[in-house]
Amino acid sequence: MSVSIHSKLPDVGTTIFTVMSQLAAQHNAVNLGQGFPDFPMHTTLHELVAKAMREGANQYVHMNGYPLLRQQLATKVQQLYHTKIDAETDITVTPGGTYAIYTALTTVLQPGDEVIVFEPAYDSYIPNIEINGAVAVRIALNYPDYSIPWDEVKKKITSRTRMIMINSPHNPTGAVLSSSDMDTLSTVVEGTNIIILSDEVYEHLIFDGLKHESILRYPELLKRSFVCFSFGKTYHCTGWKLGYCISSHELMKEFRKVHQFNCFTCDTPKQVALATYLDNAQAYLELGAQIQQKRDYFRKQMEQTPFQCIPSHGSYFECYSYAAISDEPDMVFAKRLTTEYGVATIPVSAFYKNGKDDRVIRFCFAKQEATLDKAIEKLLRVK
Ligand code: PMP
Ligand code: GLN
């Protein structure tokens, strides 16, 4: 007898990041698709992990995260954002930012709830909403600056709106929210029961002298928010899959109920190592300038190609229009760019549920100069 299940995600295939990375590998293409750095992470961190393992930090750590790590994070938040959070009650360490986002949504959502989500949206958001029986109310960011159309947000709020998801610096576009966006957000949610999910995994990857407008700067908003972070992005170790979530005491209590019966706790030696490494504030304070150099290097070379830049102000990514080159759908163009020219990218329509296609592809510039040079050499042949 064959068995079958009723798919919870009938419309979902394999994530575009895996699809394009596989295609890149098959065709030996330079992979500027999936977002990961190809330069080495901090060697001091390797040593700290090895030391933690040698010294016996190999068993389950506290389910909410290694206490000293949470303490260090609370201190960092106080220094950076001038907000006092309680390491005991308001922070939970998670196996990556993706898990923190899923857990926050699962903690809050009931079937039929509505969640306002801006597109292009990081590809896990809508499936994470729908798997909880909730409804994604999609709003397209303004093209081409990818700002939030707040008037439309106000119109789309109903009695069923349960959450609003924001992401700054933004993947895939590199758009950054301003203090005026945060003020508008405060006005929009005031007097409602709406919860905010703020994806801030690129908090330190911000350029052009801009300030990261974290929810953590706004204590009134924090009371109704889950704020998600990733160590992978901050310390060039996306494969570590370690992150954390910050919220209010009340909301975090519920988040932990879901977390404890899912993964329960995360990798111990890496948490022990990070607790020490967080003393080195320069490592994250200098990150924006370091990665901006890569963006600038890439952008400058791209000027020689027919691709048109849609300026990024943060994250690992910059989007480019290829409208002057081809009229093909972006998926077709991105695949052809990989197979014929040897450069893998991400078609931005993959971040829209209805496949909205502005003829834009996303490049990851968080790479060594040699990798960027290799890609540019190939992109110069594109006509
Ligand atoms: N949100 C966004 C916008 C991302 O780009 C990423 C990167 N994958 C994540 C969340 C998840 O981070 P992590 O790898 O820590 O799960
Ligand atoms: N966040 C990375 C990106 O946007 C990829 C993460 C993943 O492969 N799921 O490319």
Side-chain angles (χ1 to χ4, degrees), residues 42 72 75-77 79-80 204-205 234-235 277-288:
H42 311 242
Q72 289 277 64
T75 305
K76 175 181 169 183
V77 167
Q79 282 165 356
L80 282 183
H204 299 300
L205 298 158
T234 303
Y235 296 111
Y277 200 62
L278 267 157
D279 283 337
N280 175 9
Q282 284 316 102
Y284 53 81
L285 294 177
E286 287 169 358
L287 194 58

Side-chain angles (χ1 to χ4, degrees), residues 8 32 80 119 145 187 232 244 265 279 298 368:
K8 289 198 169 171
L32 303 189
L80 282 183
E119 290 187 316
D145 70 353
T187 316
Y244 56 102
T265 186
D279 283 337
F298 181 66
Q368 303 178 55

Side-chain angles (χ1 to χ4, degrees), residues 120-122 167 170-175 315 317-319 346 348 351 362:
Y122 184 59
N167 170 216
H170 184 252
N171 180 4
T173 68
S315 81
F317 312 110
E318 188 148 74
C319 288
I346 302 291
V348 169
F351 301 95
R362 186 196 81 175

Side-chain angles (χ1 to χ4, degrees), residues 113-188:
D113 282 349
E114 291 180 359
V115 182
I116 290 185
V117 50
F118 298 107
E119 290 187 316
Y122 184 59
D123 77 335
S124 74
Y125 295 172
I126 294 177
N128 281 188
I129 293 166
E130 292 179 345
I131 208 163
N132 282 295
V135 179
V137 175
R138 300 174 292 112
I139 296 179
L141 295 171
N142 296 314
Y143 181 74
D145 70 353
Y146 297 108
S147 57
I148 295 182
W150 285 109
D151 285 343
E152 197 178 339
V153 176
K154 289 174 196 158
K155 283 190 206 134
K156 291 248 164 95
I157 289 184
T158 73
S159 56
R160 288 185 304 277
T161 308
R162 197 67 195 89
M163 297 180 86
I164 297 178
M165 295 180 77
I166 55 171
N167 170 216
S168 180
H170 184 252
N171 180 4
T173 68
V176 165
L177 294 180
S178 65
S179 61
S180 135
D181 287 309
M182 301 308 275
D183 292 343
T184 312
L185 177 63
S186 302
T187 316
V188 164

